Amino acid sequence: MQVYLVGGAVRDRLLGVTNHERDFVVVGALPEDLTALGFSQVGADFPVFLHPDTHEEYALARTERKFGHGYLGFHVYADPTVTLAQDLQRRDLTINAMALPVTGLFDSTITDHTVIDPYGGQADLAARQLRHVSAAFTEDPVRVLRLARFGARFDALGFTVAEDTRALVQTMQATGELAHLVAERVWLETHKALREARADTFFTRLQDLGVLVDIMPDFAAALTQAQARGDWQTLAAAFRLYQQTRYHTDIDTVAGLAIVSLIFLTPSVTQATDFAAQRFEQFAQGLKLPKAYRQFAMLLLSQWQYLLNFDSLTAADRLALFKRFNAPKNSDGLRQALQIVNLWHMARQQMALDAQLAAVECVSMADIAPNLTGAAIGHALDAVRVARLAQINSKHQF
């Protein structure tokens, strides 16, 4: 029996980033070998076991054979003869298909720091590439969502999707495999993505792959419209500001989804809130969102105009808003909604400031008359800068 640390823990160790979960693969063992030592099996037909002390997952080395559509259409084969390389081959991405040997089931000390890497994961880490391990990638449509989620997680590090992997995603789209994604799994991966610092790129990466319209058609249409208006860029900035205010383990995905849901506001973020709520409801039903997520986002959308103008509301309107959020009995929802409004304003201000600074910075001698001298040069440059700022101000109002 040999035990290996595998997957994300090895990947993140090589990247030098914090990892919060460890997974292990056990080669050369039977289920009864682990249960006899106090390990508990996760599912009767799935060879994954929880450690009796750490509750970390230990999986028997296994292979998978496709027999149907979707993520459930697999036969799992776990046997002591299955090798580590065979187990790693069934994984989605090369950067997740690496291993390090450890002492044993009750001692996770790494015994050899030479990474076991049969599918080029280290090379893809160095090249910042998200690449499939094998053509079996096409057998499970959930892998497309995981591809986008890892893209969001490592967006700041510059990871891109390998062209051959992009081609496989297009094959899955053409063969209709994506149609077998079930709403619960789409939401599960989306929920995980909402915990990432750049969760907004989860959606744009699916869009870039050309599959967002297959997976979340209502959201895809709203995203295209919001991008054209410039609202998506503001929402993405607001979302990232929100994530920066939270610790990794304390990210409120209910609030995160609510920020993203502002994409359904149209034709601008200050109008047509009832219509926005209806559009979001269609999206929520298609994704089978949990009640807490759906209710808070719907309330935020329907009350957006009042929240935006909170300081200028009459006493009667303010009381009505309190009641809609069940305040003061429970003011958490209202406080969170107003925090989102503040983040929205901050994001707009930052975007406007960036545009103004860029407009001023790009002014050069080529923008003024060539025959000027002395102080006239400075006056002329400032006149151009003022004109550029005036143009920016007409597009970005704080």
Side-chain angles (χ1 to χ4, degrees):
M1 182 191 303
Q2 177 62 57
V3 184
Y4 298 90
L5 179 69
V6 297
V10 179
R11 175 201 67 223
D12 291 347
R13 180 185 179 91
L14 293 173
L15 284 174
V17 301
T18 302
N19 181 274
H20 299 277
E21 294 182 358
R22 298 191 306 172
D23 295 302
F24 299 87
V25 162
V26 183
V27 176
L30 293 167
E32 47 266 36
D33 294 330
L34 272 65
T35 55
L37 294 171
F39 285 73
S40 56
Q41 192 164 355
V42 173
D45 300 320
F46 203 58
V48 177
F49 301 79
L50 297 181
H51 194 283
D53 301 322
T54 67
H55 303 293
E56 293 174 314
E57 290 189 357
Y58 286 69
L60 297 182
R62 65 188 189 270
T63 60
E64 296 171 347
R65 182 171 60 84
K66 181 79 168 177
F67 72 87
H69 292 291
Y71 76 99
L72 292 176
F74 290 90
H75 282 305
V76 176
Y77 177 74
D79 184 270
T81 62
V82 176
T83 67
L84 176 65
Q86 288 175 312
D87 181 272
L88 295 177
Q89 188 178 31
R90 69 177 177 78
R91 297 174 184 269
D92 51 5
L93 303 174
T94 60
I95 64 171
N96 297 330
M98 296 178 285
L100 287 166
V102 300
T103 301
L105 292 173
F106 292 92
D107 185 352
S108 59
T109 303
I110 296 172
T111 58
D112 185 345
H113 290 271
T114 302
V115 177
I116 300 170
D117 179 20
Y119 304 107
Q122 292 179 94
D124 283 332
L125 280 181
R128 299 298 193 252
Q129 290 273 287
L130 299 172
R131 188 188 311 277
H132 61 283
V133 174
S134 72
F137 181 92
T138 62
E139 296 176 353
D140 184 357
V142 173
R143 289 172 176 166
V144 175
L145 295 167
R146 285 174 53 82
L147 177 64
R149 179 162 63 83
F150 282 114
R153 175 176 299 181
F154 299 125
D155 185 74
L157 297 179
F159 274 78
T160 59
V161 177
E163 288 302 317
D164 50 351
T165 303
R166 182 182 294 273
L168 286 187
V169 172
Q170 293 171 350
T171 297
M172 297 170 75
Q173 183 183 41
T175 58
E177 184 65 31
L178 297 180
H180 297 282
L181 275 169
V182 297
E184 291 81 1
R185 288 309 299 265
V186 175
W187 166 241
L188 178 62
E189 291 299 321
T190 303
H191 180 261
K192 291 178 180 178
L194 287 170
R195 299 183 64 85
E196 305 296 345
R198 297 190 179 185
D200 54 285
T201 63
F202 170 73
F203 302 100
T204 52
R205 283 179 180 266
L206 287 173
Q207 182 190 50
D208 178 63
L209 289 168
V211 298
L212 184 63
V213 66
D214 300 273
I215 300 170
M216 305 178 193
D218 297 304
F219 193 93
L223 176 59
T224 300
Q225 294 166 4
Q227 287 170 327
R229 297 191 307 267
D231 291 341
W232 175 250
Q233 293 84 334
T234 306
L235 285 179
F239 186 92
R240 295 182 190 187
L241 284 171
Y242 174 75
Q243 300 294 65
Q244 291 169 15
T245 67
R246 316 290 289 190
Y247 294 107
H248 180 83
T249 56
D250 191 34
I251 290 174
D252 187 340
T253 51
V254 174
L257 181 74
I259 295 172
V260 173
S261 75
L262 294 175
I263 194 175
F264 291 99
L265 287 163
T266 183
S268 72
V269 293
T270 58
Q271 299 174 8
T273 51
D274 289 339
F275 180 53
Q278 293 172 13
R279 298 177 75 201
F280 173 78
E281 181 61 24
Q282 292 177 342
F283 164 72
Q285 290 177 358
L287 214 56
K288 296 185 179 179
L289 291 182
K291 184 178 179 180
Y293 290 83
R294 185 175 67 253
Q295 287 186 339
F296 183 68
M298 287 284 286
L299 192 57
L300 181 72
L301 286 169
S302 64
Q303 302 305 309
W304 184 249
Q305 292 184 53
Y306 296 99
L307 293 165
L308 277 180
N309 300 291
F310 182 79
D311 291 338
S312 60
L313 291 178
T314 66
D317 284 341
R318 192 167 298 185
L319 179 60
L321 184 66
F322 286 179
K323 288 183 176 180
R324 294 183 193 110
F325 278 91
N326 197 29
K329 183 178 181 181
N330 184 352
S331 63
D332 291 347
L334 180 59
R335 293 179 187 278
Q336 196 167 59
L338 289 171
Q339 181 190 17
I340 291 172
V341 170
N342 290 333
L343 291 171
W344 167 262
H345 286 306
M346 288 175 60
R348 293 189 72 199
Q349 289 174 348
Q350 287 190 9
M351 292 182 65
L353 179 60
D354 289 343
Q356 292 169 359
L357 292 173
V360 169
E361 187 177 24
C362 72
V363 174
S364 68
M365 295 294 292
D367 296 308
I368 62 175
N371 58 344
L372 297 178
T373 59
I377 294 176
H379 293 318
L381 288 172
D382 282 346
V384 175
R385 293 179 181 123
V386 168
R388 298 278 175 86
L389 284 174
Q391 292 177 345
I392 296 295
N393 282 339
S394 67
K395 298 178 181 178
H396 297 272
Q397 294 295 328
F398 285 0

